[in-house]
Amino acid sequence: MTSPENPFEASASALGYLYQLRVALQRCVELSRGGIEWSVAIEATDDVQALIGSHTELTQLKKRADNVRLTDLSSDLWKTIRVWSHAVTEGHIDLAETGFYLITTAELPDDSAGFLLQSKASGHRDEKAAEALLVQARQSSKSTTLDKAFKAFDALGEQHRAELISRVEVIGDAPGMDSIRENLLGYASLAVERRFSESFLQRLEGWFFERASVQMSFPGSAPVTGAEFDELFNDLRNQIGEHNLPIDPDIAALTAAAPAAADAADKVFVHQLRLIDVGEERIGYAVRDWVRAFAQRSRWANENLLRAGEIGAYERRLVEEWQSRFAEMREDLGDEATEEEMKREAKLIYRWVDREARLRIRTGCEEVFVVKGSYQMLADELQVGWHPDFSARLAALLEPAGAADGRA
């Protein structure tokens, strides 16, 4: 709960959570480039835990405001040491097979413990000097806030303490959320065309954030595995390209009860179905397909995934597929057909749309609701219809209010 003294506490917590997810996703992408024998979990033993073969990575994340420094008595540093010290003394980890990473957006002051525990590549790493600074800070501090961390550090003993410190790497001035996302966009542009990278990343993030939420909500849940991530990554890559379009799970799950369908009872395509006595249950399915197709096509358009004129060309093909069947029906019925005969034949045309019409907008896009929902959208505009006289009978629905009695 947000306290009266700090109304921004909840927002900071949410930003920290998002930062954690993005760092974890970035690690998944990095690991995926080397194979699939790995897993990543969030809020398991640590903020982010990765298992690569028999090796474990434990990562603590500290997102802080600009101009913050990670000193030898920083609470971020000592709270992290406390977590790791407990994990060692309680036997939760194998020190010989574990790497410990503190990633912080704070600055590392020169010759501080954090500064001396950077990677070997930095040229500044000095584990013994860093250990001495931590021991000195612990002995000189009178802080009661850090007392539990100090005690956990003491409980390690000299041997375990030195071994732990030798396996710690501090990464300071770490990229913020926006920078991490830019890095992820760079990875995405290697998977798909650069113009599609934003759409690709949105879907990858959406899947990962939901997957991570489930993993954190149920203790003991399986982590994200390399095989699982690889399958999802490749599936998204195959959906976003020259021969396919993505089908989004949230749209595929929409039903006829969705808010977008609230006014469907007055839609022209619904009147078209009632004109040939289609039952309410099947009308519900038609509304569902219309809702999904409308939402998915709109998202494709908003994300610039469609080529110029692609929807128009697709609808032309759908109309032409319908035209020959509709003309044949009217020809077979002739001018003397009864209403019952017209409805019976019209239902056969609609059955073709419902069961057989599978013209794809792109060769790889096989989702049925795209075809069926697009036909409902065309029926709503009276570009296609089912009853032989649908155009004349439904024209009144499209007349402006007042036109029938001469009012403007």
Side-chain angles (χ1 to χ4, degrees), residues 225-250:
T225 66
E228 177 186 12
F229 189 84
D230 185 67
E231 181 179 355
L232 185 282
F233 194 92
N234 286 328
D235 185 49
L236 283 179
R237 181 168 54 193
N238 291 336
Q239 285 187 48
I240 301 177
E242 186 71 18
H243 303 294
N244 206 347
L245 286 164
I247 300 298
D248 296 309
D250 61 318

Side-chain angles (χ1 to χ4, degrees), residues 348-363:
L348 293 177
I349 294 288
Y350 183 64
R351 181 178 295 178
W352 165 76
V353 168
D354 205 32
R355 295 185 182 182
E356 300 175 38
R358 298 296 181 264
L359 194 62
R360 301 172 186 174
I361 186 169
R362 290 189 189 169
T363 55

